[in-house]
């Protein structure tokens, strides 16, 4: 998207989030595997703000780390005491370069915001002094109410706690998101007081002060109120997860994936599907998963940090952990776990295996119950399995170890040394067979 508006963003993220009842800052709670604050940053990034300033509380280094991971350059302002949204914006002012014409205030706890909605708000801001994003809610409980005049101009925002019974009946609510012309911002914030039910500096009070100065404030009513939901409780977190998952599932299906039971499939914002992917019920995609065309993912699979190439088959009951590459037409079956492993083209690990820190060549067959023993309690080591190798069932491959191309490992072996190409290796006590002894043993047991 073009850099159409000359604006900077202040993202408020310093709140204690008391209602979450959590030791984690509220904005670090996640939906679709990503912290709330990262979603807020994502919503504004395509509009190329001059600066993104995130307001954090003291000791919130973990919030700073999460923002940095969102891959958008951010600056951080520290609000020393959480004295309200107005105070939070004020604490960001020293960081503003002064070049931006508009300041967009975003909340770190409002993750479902769509970029187009922010764009509409910025457009409105070019025709007034403050533009506030509003929404109609059937149940406006907890939200500030927007009081508009006869001409539709915004005159005041009244917090729910401070509202009169008549004001509480108003259904036009404050999303918290607003655009302020930067030349007025410092002066308006300086007028705030804590004379209210929460004894906080409310950002929302700047509307009344703006009116006193004959500045023009306007409302942009969002078409989809759900997009502006603020997260204050765990129940609201779960509701936002549901909304976002519906969006991600619809997008995946529009792009040509079959989700057999969309409601039971969980996606991340960065999940990528090729065409004609089929996902069976109850599959979870963690962050950073790419799925090639024609892949089939069967039920109860859990996949994160993995790339799956075309026409591979995964599951049911497969676990793919970060660093996994499943190449074209490879098969990963039930109760198989892969970690930091390449499974070469057409290779198969179909039953009950752990393959970690490994490189498996094309067409190799990993028998049922094969374990790569990659960890000695201190360090991790690599296992290399050559193309077309055959690993017999219930084998342990003690890393570091290399199995050559076309080699065969006898079932039940514990392999500690390298095996050359096309060799047969087995470590197994010899079998003892005693004729008739089975019958004798049974009758002795019965007589006891
Ligand atoms: C706020 C609005 C309310 C609006 C609602 C929408 C005010 C006074 N009220 O209420 O009108 O309907 O959002 O969701 O603005 N924060 C700080 N420092 C602080 C306090 C808060 O950084 O001292 C941050 C929080 O981390 C959060 C955001 O500001 O991301 C909003 O704060 P919150 O306490 O959730 O405000 P609400 O009570 O929801
Ligand atoms: Ca809130």
């Amino acid at each position: 998207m073009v850099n159409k508006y000359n604006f900077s963003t202040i993202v408020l993220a310093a709140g204690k989030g008391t209602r979450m009842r959590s030791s984690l800052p509220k904005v670090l709670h996640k939906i679709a595997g990503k912290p709330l604050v990262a979603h807020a940053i994502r919503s504004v990034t395509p509009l190329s703000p001059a600066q993104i300033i995130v307001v954090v509380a003291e000791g919130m280094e973990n919030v700073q780390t999460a923002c940095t991971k969102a891959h958008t350059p951010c600056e951080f302002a520290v609000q020393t005491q959480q004295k309200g949204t107005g105070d939070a914006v004020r604490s960001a002012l020293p960081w503003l370069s002064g070049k931006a014409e508009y300041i967009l205030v975003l909340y770190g706890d409002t993750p479902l915001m769509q970029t187009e909605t922010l764009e509409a708000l910025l457009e409105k801001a070019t025709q007034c002094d403050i533009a506030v994003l509003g929404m109609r809610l059937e149940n406006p409980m907890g939200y500030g109410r927007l009081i508009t005049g006869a001409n539709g101009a915004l005159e005041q925002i009244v917090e729910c706690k401070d509202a009169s019974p008549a004001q509480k009946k108003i259904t036009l609510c404050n999303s918290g998101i607003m655009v302020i012309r930067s030349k007025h911002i410092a002066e308006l914030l300086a007028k705030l007081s804590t004379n209210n039910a929460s004894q906080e500096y409310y950002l929302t009070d700047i509307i009344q002060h703006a009116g006193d100065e004959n500045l023009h404030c306007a409302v942009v009513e969002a078409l989809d109120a759900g997009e502006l939901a603020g997260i204050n409780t765990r129940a609201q977190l779960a509701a936002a997860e549901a909304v976002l998952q519906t969006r991600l599932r619809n997008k995946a299906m529009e792009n040509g994936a079959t989700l057999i039971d969309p409601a039971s499939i969980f996606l991340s914002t960065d999940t990528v599907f090729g065409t004609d992917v089929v996902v069976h019920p109850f599959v979870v995609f963690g962050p950073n998963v790419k799925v090639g065309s024609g892949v089939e993912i069967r039920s109860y699979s859990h996949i994160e940090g993995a790339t799956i190439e075309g026409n591979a088959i995964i599951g049911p009951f497969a676990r793919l952990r970060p660093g996994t590459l499943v190449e074209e037409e490879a098969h990963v079956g039930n109760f198989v776990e892969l970690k930091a492993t390449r499974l070469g083209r057409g290779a198969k690990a179909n039953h009950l295996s752990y393959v970690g820190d490994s490189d498996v060549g094309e067409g190799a067959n990993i028998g049922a119950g094969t374990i790569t023993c990659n960890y000695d309690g201190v360090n991790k080591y690599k296992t290399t399995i050559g193309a077309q190798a055959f690993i017999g069932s219930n084998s342990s491959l003690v890393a570091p170890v290399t199995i050559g191309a076309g080699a065969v490992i006898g079932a039940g072996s514990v392999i500690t040394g390298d095996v050359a190409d096309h060799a047969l290796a087995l470590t197994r006590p010899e079998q003892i067979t005693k004729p008739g002894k089975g019958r004798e043993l049974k009758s002795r047991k019965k007589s006891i």
Side-chain angles (χ1 to χ4, degrees), residues 256-294:
T258 294
L259 309 184
I260 292 177
D261 175 25
S264 71
I265 295 164
F266 286 79
L267 304 169
S268 289
T269 48
D270 60 357
T271 308
V272 179
F273 290 123
T275 50
D276 294 316
V277 170
V278 177
V279 186
H280 292 247
F282 301 104
V283 173
V284 176
F285 294 90
N288 195 18
V289 175
K290 291 192 182 64
V291 183
S293 296

Side-chain angles (χ1 to χ4, degrees), residues 12 14-15 26 79 82 84-85 107 109 143-144 159 174-175 232:
L12 304 190
K26 172 166 76 176
Q79 186 190 17
Q82 280 57 71
T85 48
Y107 285 2
D109 70 350
Y143 285 98
E159 286 309 296
N174 176 29
S175 70
N232 300 319

Side-chain angles (χ1 to χ4, degrees), residues 44-88:
V44 71
T45 304
L47 299 171
S48 312
Q51 289 177 281
I52 299 178
I53 301 162
V54 184
V55 180
V56 295
E58 265 169 356
M60 279 191 181
E61 285 77 19
N62 46 5
V63 174
Q64 301 196 23
T65 309
C67 294
T68 311
K69 273 196 194 151
H71 299 301
T72 308
C74 296
E75 295 162 76
F76 299 96
V78 176
Q79 186 190 17
T80 39
Q81 279 182 306
Q82 280 57 71
K83 292 185 288 190
T85 48
D87 181 66

Side-chain angles (χ1 to χ4, degrees), residues 117-381:
T117 309
L118 293 178
E119 205 180 357
L121 187 68
L122 282 160
E123 185 58 39
K124 186 75 177 182
T126 62
Q127 300 146 27
C128 61
D129 296 296
I130 303 179
V132 173
L133 197 54
M135 55 199 170
R136 293 255 174 220
L137 293 177
E138 267 174 45
N139 174 14
M141 196 55 206
Y143 285 98
R145 309 298 207 277
L146 302 182
I147 316 277
T148 48
N151 55 356
L154 178 62
E155 292 178 346
Q156 198 187 349
I157 304 178
V158 183
E159 286 309 296
C160 193
K161 278 185 186 171
D162 300 283
S164 68
Q167 288 170 330
K168 279 199 174 122
K169 292 206 176 94
I170 296 172
T171 55
L172 185 58
C173 295
N174 176 29
S175 70
I177 287 138
M178 58 175 86
V179 178
I180 307 158
R181 237 174 238 277
S182 44
K183 64 180 176 197
H184 301 305
I185 194 167
E187 195 189 330
L188 291 171
L189 289 171
K191 292 188 171 159
L192 297 182
S193 78
T194 56
N195 186 14
N196 52 54
S198 305
Q199 297 189 300
E200 287 185 351
Y201 295 99
Y202 292 161
L203 174 63
T204 44
D205 282 348
I206 66 168
I207 301 301
Q208 214 173 355
H209 296 306
D212 296 343
E213 301 289 315
N214 289 322
L215 299 179
H216 179 48
C217 305
V219 179
V220 172
E221 208 179 307
L223 299 175
D224 171 12
E227 163 184 341
L228 305 181
I231 310 299
N232 300 319
T233 64
R234 306 260 183 174
Q236 289 169 337
L237 185 72
E241 176 83 54
V243 171
L244 184 53
Q245 287 300 337
T246 303
R247 263 191 214 166
L248 295 172
R249 291 164 188 149
N250 288 342
K251 196 178 89 190
M253 291 187 283
E254 276 163 28
N255 290 340
T258 294
L259 309 184
I260 292 177
D261 175 25
S264 71
I265 295 164
F266 286 79
L267 304 169
S268 289
T269 48
D270 60 357
T271 308
V272 179
F273 290 123
T275 50
D276 294 316
V277 170
V278 177
V279 186
H280 292 247
F282 301 104
V283 173
V284 176
F285 294 90
N288 195 18
V289 175
K290 291 192 182 64
V291 183
S293 296
V295 168
E296 181 171 347
I297 301 178
R298 296 176 179 163
S299 294
Y300 303 106
S301 294
H302 189 279
I303 302 167
E304 51 187 334
T307 299
I308 305 167
E309 292 184 350
N311 302 315
I313 299 177
I314 308 296
F317 295 100
R319 180 170 185 207
L320 305 187
R321 292 172 53 200
T324 295
L325 168 63
V326 177
E327 292 187 349
E328 284 182 20
E329 288 167 16
H331 291 187
V332 181
N334 41 276
F335 306 105
V336 172
E337 173 181 347
L338 301 185
K339 185 214 79 172
T341 284
R342 173 182 81 102
L343 189 64
R345 188 191 166 99
K348 291 184 180 138
N350 270 334
H351 333 266
L352 300 154
S353 286
Y354 170 63
V355 185
D357 302 314
S358 300
D359 187 82
V360 180
E362 270 188 41
N365 192 305
I366 310 287
T370 298
I371 306 292
T372 55
C373 310
N374 62 328
Y375 185 50
D376 62 4
V378 182
N379 294 305
K380 300 229 166 104
Y381 303 96

